[in-house]
Amino acid sequence: MNPGHHYYSHSINPSPIEGEITVLFSGEGQPRSLHKMGPTIHDYYLIHTVLSGQGEFNVRDQRYRCNAGDTFIIFPGELFSYQADEHQPWQYVWIAFVGHGAAALMDSIGISRDDPVITGSPNPNIREYYSRLHSCFQSDSLPELSNLESGGWVRLLFQQLGLAKRRLEAANPPAVSLIDHTMKQAIQFLTLQFSQTISIEHMSNVLGYHRTHLCKLFKQTTGLSPMQYLLKIRMERAEQLLTTPMTIDQVASSVGFGDALYFSRKFRKWRGQSPSEYRKTLRNVPQRS
């Protein structure tokens, strides 16, 4: 029994294998009144989900009051502390993990160092995922199989945390989120479709905006009209393709121009050189040793 807890259970990965996500250990505990951890720093990610009671999580000069259903995330290298409530000390479950894909995974589910708490009641399956993670390191299976099993459960856990985060954001959208979201969609549309024949009218209809209004918002956001932005994408991509053995016709077609002569005129206006001249310039650039 951990002296600071009414109840404490801890399981460690006996043979962690380096990978995208590797669970190091997991546990469950019910600390005593005012039990405190830190201030300290870890070199791994540590996630706690509160099952009952209350406590306080402190990081980056911010204090977060956490209740049942809330999850708080500790990032590597961050100075933190947390403490159980005096009258209703919390009970929580936790996992620690590392991996070269951990940062991108946290970002994909909307968790950051500046926003490390998910509030509200998550799917009850989350408790089951923690339990499975906890028990898989206590089985008699081979260590590599325990790693494989823990990797599956932790991804299901992250998926549920991501859904909880999305529900929270949907319930509390920022005032400018609709415009920002629309502009991101417009930029994404042009970025993905630049090699096709693009109609601003079609893009406007897809995004649910009148063409004139969308163009105005786009210009305010990027400083360019949609067509100017599209040309920028196409020309920058053409510059990249001109470093390859592709012919000028092939480059033109790849960036959305059916007429290579028209493409060459646009490129000259963009770069001050024809595509052929630009390619020769690249070949004459001295290579660094």
Side-chain angles (χ1 to χ4, degrees):
M1 171 71 70
N2 187 304
H5 291 70
H6 294 290
Y7 166 76
Y8 183 90
S9 179
H10 191 76
S11 64
I12 299 175
N13 187 340
S15 182
I17 298 174
E18 184 176 344
E20 183 184 22
I21 298 293
T22 301
V23 180
L24 301 177
F25 57 83
S26 67
E28 179 176 342
Q30 186 172 14
R32 298 182 185 276
S33 174
L34 296 178
H35 173 268
K36 185 176 183 180
M37 172 66 74
T40 188
I41 293 175
H42 290 328
D43 59 358
Y44 46 79
Y45 292 84
L46 184 60
I47 294 182
H48 290 72
T49 295
V50 182
L51 302 178
S52 63
Q54 301 175 357
E56 186 176 88
F57 171 51
N58 302 298
V59 67
R60 292 196 165 196
D61 297 323
Q62 295 291 321
R63 295 188 176 191
Y64 301 91
R65 191 70 180 172
C66 297
N67 302 287
D70 295 346
T71 296
F72 62 94
I73 298 89
I74 298 164
F75 283 73
E78 291 279 14
L79 182 66
F80 73 91
S81 67
Y82 54 87
Q83 185 171 26
D85 184 72
E86 180 178 5
H87 303 292
Q88 301 180 61
W90 50 15
Q91 177 186 1
Y92 46 51
V93 284
W94 68 83
I95 60 164
F97 61 94
V98 293
H100 60 79
L105 192 149
M106 291 293 96
D107 184 64
S108 71
I109 62 177
I111 298 172
S112 69
R113 293 175 184 267
D114 292 321
D115 189 15
V117 175
I118 303 174
T119 58
S121 299
N123 189 306
N125 287 335
I126 280 186
R127 175 69 185 276
E128 174 70 10
Y129 298 155
Y130 276 107
S131 297
R132 294 284 189 165
L133 278 163
H134 189 58
S135 63
C136 73
F137 297 134
Q138 299 175 329
S139 69
D140 295 328
S141 62
L142 296 173
E144 55 269 27
L145 297 183
S146 295
N147 274 289
L148 186 63
E149 181 181 355
S150 67
W153 289 118
V154 78
R155 283 166 173 78
L156 289 172
L157 172 62
F158 290 152
Q159 186 258 356
Q160 288 298 320
L161 292 176
L163 289 176
K165 182 69 171 176
R166 296 296 185 273
R167 286 194 295 268
L168 179 64
E169 292 171 348
N172 301 280
V176 297
S177 64
L178 181 58
I179 293 176
D180 288 347
H181 180 66
T182 300
M183 289 303 98
K184 287 181 179 177
Q185 283 187 309
I187 290 171
Q188 183 76 346
F189 182 92
L190 295 175
T191 301
L192 294 176
Q193 301 292 324
F194 72 90
S195 63
Q196 307 299 317
T197 300
I198 290 182
S199 163
I200 301 304
E201 286 79 6
H202 174 66
M203 184 177 74
S204 302
N205 291 334
V206 169
L207 300 179
Y209 273 77
H210 187 276
R211 182 184 188 281
T212 302
H213 186 54
L214 179 64
C215 290
K216 181 180 178 181
L217 289 177
F218 199 97
K219 183 71 176 287
Q220 290 175 348
T221 302
T222 67
L224 300 172
S225 71
M227 293 309 296
Q228 288 171 332
Y229 195 90
L230 174 61
L231 180 65
K232 177 177 179 291
I233 294 173
R234 286 173 165 173
M235 293 297 102
E236 289 176 348
R237 180 57 176 158
E239 289 177 357
Q240 296 173 353
L241 295 178
L242 287 169
T243 66
T244 72
M246 293 176 67
T247 67
I248 303 300
D249 284 352
Q250 290 170 338
V251 172
S253 177
S254 297
V255 297
F257 290 89
D259 185 339
L261 292 177
Y262 181 64
F263 162 70
S264 295
R265 289 198 298 271
K266 286 291 187 180
F267 191 88
R268 180 183 288 278
K269 187 175 181 180
W270 164 265
R271 175 53 67 181
Q273 297 174 304
S274 70
S276 298
E277 291 169 343
Y278 179 75
R279 176 170 275 172
K280 289 178 182 178
T281 300
L282 293 177
R283 290 171 179 167
N284 292 330
V285 173
Q287 299 296 312
R288 292 183 180 179
S289 58

